[in-house]
């Protein structure tokens, strides 16, 4: 038994739209026009193409440009043999738009969770050799801006050794850059900027900041931040020739509030083990609090701002270091006056170091 349906048709040979009949015979069909019949064609070879106006458009495998166009409601007998129309895409149509939106939202949330939280458990799994190679490639000699003098190097080594039990795992340098900052980078690299040394009033202040950066290294925060900011492609696949841009990005790399708090806690513990007073570090953050505006903020504003900030506010950090002071303890200076002078003036004394003016590695 045959069934006939009126449709519009392009034969793929001429760009002429024709009104034809489709004769359905079992799982096949013929196209009838002016008493001429072409076919048979298999419904299994028919594919849905698109929606054009009020018409559903179908193509035929192996026949480029061949089209059937069905306008309005498609008779149920014919619809049962044709592929279902696609409105949004294969898997969306199979699920339905509502379920697809929910699935997409859940997938997006899972992806965000992986990006945010996977570095915490993934970073410890990255081999130390990979971390060291990244440090060598990204840091190198820092564009020739590392300062060195015999007495200054000796003072810096003494400071590092007093704070950390395994100083041989670290590479601590002073860079001839007039920025009030210090950073921890891959491969156990810690860089103190000359601007920090110039602003510091005692070696105890520098000791607290240095211990904080070493805390980032020991707690694997550097690799966590690297994974979060730049992804596995950089860590596992290496870097391209534009390592300067990578270094600039690393210098801008921020840690989570939890990581900053852990590094501060590590700093306080290291200062205590080295018998270095936290008073200097608290004083340093007290001065910084006058710059970031956190000193005079009311309590609830401090809490809100601290929550939104990638770093704890200086006033909050000052309070934490003050609370770690042990009353009556006989603290010793981190360096002698002469050692402190040599460290503080190391970049001025080094005649070979490159200037940090216009700092850029590109």
């Amino acid at each position: 038994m045959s069934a006939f349906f009126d449709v519009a048709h392009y034969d793929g040979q001429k760009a002429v739209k024709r009104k034809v009949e489709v004769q359905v015979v079992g799982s096949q069909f013929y196209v009838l026009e002016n008493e001429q019949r072409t076919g048979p064609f298999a419904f299994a070879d028919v594919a849905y193409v698109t929606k054009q106006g009020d018409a559903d458009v179908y193509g035929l495998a192996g026949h480029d440009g061949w089209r059937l166009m069905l306008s309005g409601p498609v008779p149920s007998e014919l619809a049962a043999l044709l592929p279902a129309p696609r409105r949004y895409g294969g898997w969306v149509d199979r699920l339905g738009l509502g379920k697809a939106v929910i699935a997409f939202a859940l997938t997006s949330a899972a992806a965000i969770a992986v990006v945010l939280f996977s570095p915490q458990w993934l970073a410890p799994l990255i081999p130390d050799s990979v971390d060291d190679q990244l440090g060598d490639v990204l840091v190198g000699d820092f564009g020739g801006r590392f300062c060195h003098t015999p007495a200054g190097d000796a003072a810096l080594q003494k400071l590092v050794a007093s704070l950390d039990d395994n100083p041989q795992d670290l590479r601590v340098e002073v860079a001839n850059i007039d920025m009030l900052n210090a950073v921890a980078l891959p491969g156990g690299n810690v860089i103190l900027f000359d601007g920090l040394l110039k602003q510091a009033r005692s070696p105890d202040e520098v000791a607290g900041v240095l211990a904080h950066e070493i805390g980032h290294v020991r707690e694997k925060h550097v690799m966590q931040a690297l994974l979060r900011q730049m992804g596995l492609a950089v860590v596992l696949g290496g870097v391209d020739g534009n390592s300067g841009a990578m270094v600039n990005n690393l210098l801008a790399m921020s840690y989570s509030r939890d990581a900053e708090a852990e590094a501060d806690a590590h700093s306080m513990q290291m200062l205590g083990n080295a018998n270095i007073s936290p008073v200097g570090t608290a004083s340093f953050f007290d001065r910084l609090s006058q710059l970031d505006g956190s000193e005079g903020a009311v309590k609830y504003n401090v809490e809100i701002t601290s929550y939104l900030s990638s770093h704890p506010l200086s006033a909050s950090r000052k309070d934490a270091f003050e609370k770690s002071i042990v009353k009556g303890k006989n603290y010793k200076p981190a360096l002698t006056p002469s050692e402190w002078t040599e460290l503080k003036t190391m970049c001025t004394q080094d005649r070979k170091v490159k200037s940090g003016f216009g700092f850029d590695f590109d």
Side-chain angles (χ1 to χ4, degrees):
M1 180 180 292
S2 300
F4 297 85
F5 305 94
D6 293 330
V7 300
H9 175 56
Y10 290 92
D11 62 7
Q13 303 299 319
K14 298 179 181 179
V16 178
K17 182 179 179 180
R18 297 181 173 90
K19 190 170 184 178
V20 300
E21 278 187 310
V22 169
Q23 180 186 9
V24 177
V25 181
S27 61
Q28 297 179 323
F29 65 95
Y30 295 86
V31 175
L32 308 179
E33 181 184 14
N34 298 329
E35 299 182 355
Q36 292 185 352
R37 188 171 75 163
T38 56
F41 307 107
F43 279 103
D45 294 332
V46 175
Y48 185 82
V49 177
T50 188
K51 183 78 171 180
Q52 186 174 324
D54 65 344
D56 290 309
V57 182
Y58 298 85
L60 187 67
H63 293 72
D64 190 31
W66 190 99
R67 295 290 186 267
L68 284 182
M69 303 177 67
L70 284 69
S71 300
V74 179
S76 58
E77 304 95 323
L78 182 58
L81 298 169
L82 292 170
R86 295 195 309 270
R87 302 303 184 201
Y88 309 101
W91 71 273
V92 177
D93 288 324
R94 287 194 296 272
L95 287 177
L97 181 59
K99 291 182 179 179
V101 169
I102 294 174
F104 180 77
L106 292 175
T107 302
S108 299
I112 293 172
V114 168
V115 171
L116 291 178
F117 299 112
S118 64
Q120 297 180 9
W121 56 263
L122 188 59
L125 303 180
I126 302 296
D128 290 339
S129 59
V130 174
D131 195 30
D132 292 339
Q133 289 173 7
L134 279 172
D136 291 340
V137 172
L138 297 176
V139 180
D141 67 350
F142 219 61
R145 292 174 174 83
F146 287 146
C147 307
H148 292 287
T149 64
D153 289 339
L156 183 59
Q157 291 172 10
K158 175 184 176 181
L159 188 60
V160 175
S162 68
L163 294 171
D164 193 86
D165 293 334
N166 297 294
Q168 67 276 4
D169 296 339
L170 302 168
R171 181 191 176 195
V172 182
E173 301 279 3
V174 174
N176 188 30
I177 299 170
D178 192 19
M179 294 173 59
L180 203 164
N181 204 354
V183 294
L185 297 175
N189 286 277
V190 176
I191 301 175
L192 303 173
F193 292 149
D194 187 47
L196 172 69
L197 298 180
K198 290 177 179 177
Q199 292 293 326
R201 295 178 180 175
S202 72
D204 293 0
E205 294 185 5
V206 176
V209 175
L210 174 58
H212 174 91
E213 299 303 330
I214 294 176
H216 282 313
V217 173
R218 296 308 186 196
E219 298 293 338
K220 299 290 187 179
H221 295 156
V222 180
M223 186 57 68
Q224 289 177 25
L226 187 64
L227 289 170
R228 185 178 295 110
Q229 181 165 324
M230 300 181 182
L232 283 173
V234 172
V235 176
L236 301 182
V239 297
D240 58 19
N242 191 14
S243 60
M246 189 68 67
V247 171
N248 286 331
N249 287 335
L250 285 171
L251 293 180
M253 185 169 59
S254 62
Y255 302 101
S256 68
R257 286 180 297 276
D258 288 343
E260 291 289 355
E262 287 180 2
D264 274 348
H266 196 100
S267 175
M268 290 177 236
Q269 181 177 356
M270 294 171 76
L271 291 175
N273 293 341
N275 201 29
I276 297 173
S277 174
V279 172
T281 310
S283 175
F284 177 73
F285 286 125
D286 184 41
R287 296 201 307 278
L288 286 185
S289 70
Q290 299 174 26
L291 300 177
D292 65 22
S294 60
E295 181 186 41
V298 295
K299 182 178 179 181
Y300 74 90
N301 278 339
V302 169
E303 293 172 349
I304 294 173
T305 308
S306 182
Y307 180 80
L308 295 176
S309 174
S310 61
H311 290 71
L313 286 176
S314 300
S316 300
R317 304 176 79 177
K318 178 203 70 170
D319 292 342
F321 276 90
E322 284 182 341
K323 290 178 181 178
S324 70
I325 298 171
V326 179
K327 293 183 178 180
K329 186 173 183 179
N330 187 24
Y331 291 109
K332 65 178 182 180
L335 296 173
T336 66
S338 60
E339 289 170 336
W340 171 230
T341 299
E342 293 294 338
L343 178 61
K344 194 178 181 73
T345 61
M346 184 160 55
C347 290
T348 303
Q349 295 184 54
D350 187 351
R351 302 300 182 184
K352 297 180 180 179
V353 68
K354 289 185 179 180
S355 171
F357 179 76
F359 172 64
D360 193 352
F361 276 79
D362 289 335

